[in-house]
Amino acid sequence: MSFPKDFLWGSATSSYQIEGAWQEDGKGPNIWDVFSHTPGKVLNGDTGDVAIDHYHRYRDDVSLMADLGLQAYRFSFSWARIIPDGTGAIEKRGLDFYDRLIDALLEKNIHPMATLYHWDLPAVLQDKGGWTHRDSASWFADYSAVVHDAFSDRVKMWATLNEPWVSAFLGHGIGIHAPGIKDPVAAFAAAHHLLLGHGKAVQAMRAQSSDSQLGIVLNLAPVYLEGDAPDDHPAHTSVALHDAILNGLWTEPLLRSHYPDLLLQLGDVVTGNIKDGDLGIISEPIDWMGINYYQDIRFVPSDVTPSADPMNPPGTDLPGTVGVEPAPAIGNVTSFGWSTTPDGLRALLVTLDGEYDNLPPIFITENGCAYDYPVEDGVVNDTLRVTYMHEHLTALLEAIKEGVDVRGYMHWSLFDNFEWAEGYRQRFGMVHVDFDTQVRTPKQSALFYARVIADNGLPSA
Ligand code: FCB
């Protein structure tokens, strides 16, 4: 049950979810500050104002990572901390925070893995249209160049975007994430500009240094239709569209320089954003690809009105929602209501590997689960998280044995933290955080993970 030599073991977080210090040292507001301060958007009115106060506690947090034996730490930069207005003037105190963090990691021999954008767009840029504005691609590339220039001497692994599907479709399509827009047209525009921004950022960083390892982090998953739907039922088209929007919309332009035909058939909503030369920029070669995997996606057919067209659903529904509903959750269902489907990770990786000759080396950049266990006598006995890790690492090992080039695994998350629209309710951490006192308590899963890292493999039981 051993992993390949030099396999990289780590854990992941993101700026808005842990840093707090939302108005400190010149940081500008970002779209999550605005969204979480808007009544009704986040459960219980929770915000990231304080979060887990990592901005002030980073040194202790890094020591804790070292105690667990982490070899890598995936974190993200807060754009509005570094360039408060989104473009233009640089806030040195913002850069200084990351400078201290990176040095603290390196002192402990922990490899920094940086993400440039984990959803916290400077609010001023949203006022100009955010990712629906074509210039967002250049705003992002310019910001990326500033950060890369500051840290590429010490940070070797860079991801441009985290889960652009979420930014585009949860942020602009159904609006449950910042900036809270419900408009499929905006969602596809954001998707294209995110991809274009990725490509432009890769070009800008490549020009600065040739030894940086540049990549992108995608949330991909197998999409299935279960149950019996007659051949002419729209569920078939809807599920194919779901798959195309979740997976192909990202992998095809990035690795094959074109959009999936099924999406091009949607017409202007997709094609209207694409200009000559864009796909060449988007498919700029990358050195690695990050995959975030939580569960596979399963649908069952549902009743539909006879005229319903899956390509053009009524109202503000996204294409791919007609005639389907989510299948009931299976496995050790998490507190979020998510299924646990470890074999989906193996299936996803093996399918991608078969599909793309030019698939870059893969890092699992997120994988994890929300379960709520109390601290009892200083112990958090989160057995279901240990099971989740064990099952998913076993599936990962199977994919590696089937020939997929996977180079590392980052568990989501190191700490309980601000889980977006769910506020502090969903606890994904291997380390429990008391949100009143900020006391950190490693859970049993953290101790299990420390053993996995030390052995570079899984215990056989
Ligand atoms: C992913 C996000 C991460 C966290 C986990 C649970 O989609 O990248 O920030 O919220 O889900």
Side-chain angles (χ1 to χ4, degrees), residues 2-10 71-72 362-364 393 396-397 400 404-410 449 452-453 456-457:
S2 279
F3 280 79
K5 189 172 159 290
D6 298 330
F7 194 80
L8 192 65
W9 295 102
Q71 300 164 346
I362 300 290
F363 286 81
I364 303 303
L393 291 173
L396 185 57
L397 205 47
I400 293 170
V404 188
D405 184 5
V406 186
R407 305 273 177 97
Y409 174 89
M410 307 293 129
Y449 193 52
V452 170
I453 298 174
N456 195 36

Side-chain angles (χ1 to χ4, degrees), residues 2-171:
S2 279
F3 280 79
K5 189 172 159 290
D6 298 330
F7 194 80
L8 192 65
W9 295 102
S11 193
T13 64
S14 86
S15 46
Y16 190 74
Q17 294 179 276
I18 65 165
E19 285 178 2
W22 75 297
Q23 290 183 309
E24 227 167 294
D25 290 341
K27 175 182 162 293
N30 63 48
I31 56 173
W32 270 96
D33 292 317
V34 174
F35 193 72
S36 68
H37 282 259
T38 307
K41 298 296 185 191
V42 175
L43 189 75
N44 300 324
D46 289 345
T47 71
D49 294 3
V50 177
I52 65 163
D53 197 31
H54 174 75
Y55 191 77
H56 300 110
R57 294 167 196 261
Y58 74 93
R59 209 164 264 292
D60 290 344
D61 288 343
V62 171
S63 294
L64 205 150
M65 296 175 209
D67 292 344
L68 296 175
L70 295 195
Q71 300 164 346
Y73 173 56
R74 174 173 178 248
F75 66 97
S76 75
F77 292 102
S78 160
W79 185 341
R81 213 180 265 301
I82 297 173
I83 307 182
D85 291 333
T87 57
I90 297 167
E91 173 52 74
K92 185 165 179 313
R93 290 169 295 176
L95 279 180
D96 286 348
F97 165 67
Y98 296 106
D99 195 70
R100 294 192 298 273
L101 171 66
I102 289 164
D103 280 347
L105 291 165
L106 292 173
E107 264 167 43
K108 301 276 188 192
N109 262 323
I110 300 170
H111 191 82
M113 189 190 236
T115 303
L116 285 156
Y117 185 71
H118 200 125
W119 308 350
D120 43 1
L121 188 77
V124 227
L125 297 184
Q126 190 59 45
D127 296 341
K128 296 181 183 160
W131 291 109
T132 66
H133 194 307
R134 192 173 160 88
D135 288 354
S136 57
S138 305
W139 303 333
F140 176 65
D142 291 349
Y143 149 71
S144 299
V146 166
V147 184
H148 185 260
D149 183 51
F151 302 119
S152 60
D153 57 335
R154 282 160 290 159
V155 176
K156 295 301 164 200
M157 284 197 74
W158 294 82
T160 52
L161 307 172
N162 177 71
E163 301 191 354
W165 176 87
V166 172
S167 300
F169 292 94
L170 301 192

Side-chain angles (χ1 to χ4, degrees), residues 17 118-119 162-163 166 292 294 338 366 412 419-420 428:
Q17 294 179 276
H118 200 125
W119 308 350
N162 177 71
E163 301 191 354
V166 172
N292 294 351
Y294 289 89
W338 296 359
E366 290 182 26
W412 185 274
E419 179 46 38
W420 310 113
F428 276 91

